[in-house]
Amino acid sequence: MRIEESRNRDVLVVKPMDRRIDASSAGAFKSLLHDRIQGGQRRIVLNLSEVDFIDSTGLGAIVSSLKAVGEAGEIVIANPQETVMSLFRLTRMNRVFQILPSEEEAVASLSKS
Amino acid sequence: MEPFSDQVARINISIDSCLDQVFMVGAAIRGICAELQLAAGVASQLELAVIEGVNNAVKHAYESQAGHCVEVIVAVSREWIRFEICDEGKPLNFQRGTALDYDPHDRKNLPEGGMGLHIMGRVMDEISYSSREGRNRLILCKRLG
């Protein structure tokens, strides 16, 4: 799975570059996120601008990572496409995650907290 | 020109029971939905629901073992589109309308799995499952228009 990573102060920005996060790729995606979390990263922006399909297994990987950052950490979703937002709404995960329209706003949100 | 006639049109899609191949089903569903001129939001939800059904067949019916067939029969009329997802693996414990019940503020207990059936139920108008003579059938139906 192709992923771009960048850092802005103590915020890690993870940007999947593949169009799909599905059952075939969710394991690798989850492993990468958990690896960064175990390395001490607790504030993560997940930029989903390039992703147009996530299934429930892919969503499960994101949820698992949110649980792994603990109560003191946060994962903010940035710039999801409408197809991905639909999945968050169908599963009510739009009430779990903070979802912002741009990476810049997501980074700023975590930098303030 | 009408996108299809009064008759029911059908197509069978078969993949090996391998998660790496499931995206091909999604591509086929997208193509069919585009031909039917369905709204983008409807098409993407139909793709998601069918993918969830196929994932269940691969992961649960065949326990993620490749080398078995998962068949998706798509039937379309003027009024509805129906997806029949068939496998010959282990029957599923199917509970129609399984609610996804959780507290969004209780982070420790958020669901990481078990969302597929809920998604299918939310997207589709009718959903049923049967297992007879070694063949399992998950039927998902959506009314059009």
Side-chain angles (χ1 to χ4, degrees), chain B residues 15-37:
Chain B
I15 62 163
D16 191 65
S17 53
C18 178
L19 291 175
D20 287 344
Q21 296 198 15
V22 176
F23 80 97
M24 291 291 288
V25 175
I29 301 299
R30 279 200 306 280
I32 292 166
C33 291
E35 186 65 24
L36 297 175
Q37 301 173 1

Side-chain angles (χ1 to χ4, degrees), chain B residues 26-77:
Chain B
I29 301 299
R30 279 200 306 280
I32 292 166
C33 291
E35 186 65 24
L36 297 175
Q37 301 173 1
L38 300 185
V42 173
S44 66
Q45 289 195 345
L46 290 177
E47 179 188 357
L48 175 62
V50 175
I51 292 291
E52 295 294 343
V54 174
N55 283 345
N56 276 351
V58 173
K59 290 199 285 188
H60 302 303
Y62 290 127
E63 298 176 322
S64 298
Q65 291 184 341
H68 305 280
C69 179
V70 179
E71 187 177 19
V72 181
I73 304 164
V74 186
V76 182
S77 78

Side-chain angles (χ1 to χ4, degrees), chain A residues 53-74:
Chain A
F53 182 87
I54 301 180
D55 65 13
S56 67
T57 311
L59 181 60
I62 299 171
V63 172
S64 171
S65 302
L66 178 67
K67 291 159 86 167
V69 298
E71 295 296 335
E74 197 58 78

